[in-house]
Amino acid sequence: MGYPAPFVGRLLKVEDQWIDYNGHFNMAYYNVLFDRAGDEAFAAVGLGPDYVKQRNASFFTLECHNTYLRELHAGDSVRIATQILDCDAKRVHYVQQMFHAAEGWLACVTEIIVMHIDMGLKKSAPFPPDVMEKIAAMREAHRHLPVPPQVGHKIGIPKKA
């Protein structure tokens, strides 16, 4: 099965109630949009909403790093590109880039690692072979894509020499 490189789902919109008391698109809601786009990408490899019911397994986020580059406003539409960077038997490392849909500029980047979980045991478990095959195929489709410079960024306050 072929996968788009990167995977881009439906257009999403910044909702009015997501604007905070500073008049800014609140940081928490960037994650809502990234999560919605991630759900679409993972559904494409068999990890959609029915997966939990059918297989009694899911995947949980282990780590997430956001880099905010340009502010979005209420009513703005965005498109989110999802790119799988790496995977193993239990984990997927991916990056998502959020672009202003009309103007094309990059607003935010998130880098995430998720772990596959056996919901009955509440422990990590390997992906089923059919799902792993699809994840690996999407990873292969994304292998040639450039890695955004925000990937692997270390957070901290630079010290002056």
Side-chain angles (χ1 to χ4, degrees):
M1 170 180 234
Y3 291 98
F7 182 94
V8 179
R10 63 189 166 86
L11 287 183
L12 300 168
K13 188 172 270 193
V14 176
E15 298 181 16
D16 292 343
Q17 66 269 23
W18 295 346
I19 304 304
D20 64 21
Y21 54 85
N22 292 314
H24 295 272
F25 179 29
N26 185 275
M27 62 185 264
Y29 296 103
Y30 282 84
N31 288 321
V32 170
L33 294 177
F34 280 130
D35 192 50
R36 289 177 181 172
D39 284 349
E40 289 184 60
F42 281 100
V45 296
L47 293 168
D50 294 335
Y51 183 78
V52 176
K53 295 175 202 160
Q54 294 169 354
R55 309 250 188 144
N56 199 30
S58 191
F59 56 99
F60 296 172
T61 300
L62 298 178
E63 191 169 349
C64 176
H65 294 254
N66 291 348
T67 304
Y68 303 94
L69 300 164
R70 191 163 167 188
E71 186 177 12
L72 292 161
H73 302 284
D76 284 347
S77 291
V78 299
R79 63 179 176 80
I80 297 175
T82 301
Q83 175 184 352
I84 295 180
L85 299 169
D86 200 6
C87 57
D88 65 15
K90 297 180 182 181
R91 296 171 295 191
V92 177
H93 177 205
Y94 65 103
V95 63
Q96 292 177 296
Q97 296 178 89
M98 183 182 296
F99 296 93
H100 189 278
E103 298 176 20
W105 43 263
L106 182 61
C108 190
V109 178
T110 190
E111 178 183 7
I112 300 172
I113 294 181
V114 295
M115 173 79 74
H116 188 253
I117 303 294
D118 178 312
M119 297 297 283
L121 299 173
K122 293 291 187 191
K123 294 179 83 169
S124 66
F127 289 103
D130 62 313
V131 172
M132 189 67 233
E133 183 178 318
K134 292 174 187 171
I135 293 169
M138 187 181 281
R139 166 64 185 113
E140 187 58 35
H142 296 177
R143 185 175 301 282
H144 73 281
L145 295 171
V147 176
Q150 295 81 10
V151 170
H153 177 80
K154 180 181 175 188
I155 191 169
I157 299 172
K159 302 296 180 204
K160 294 182 181 180

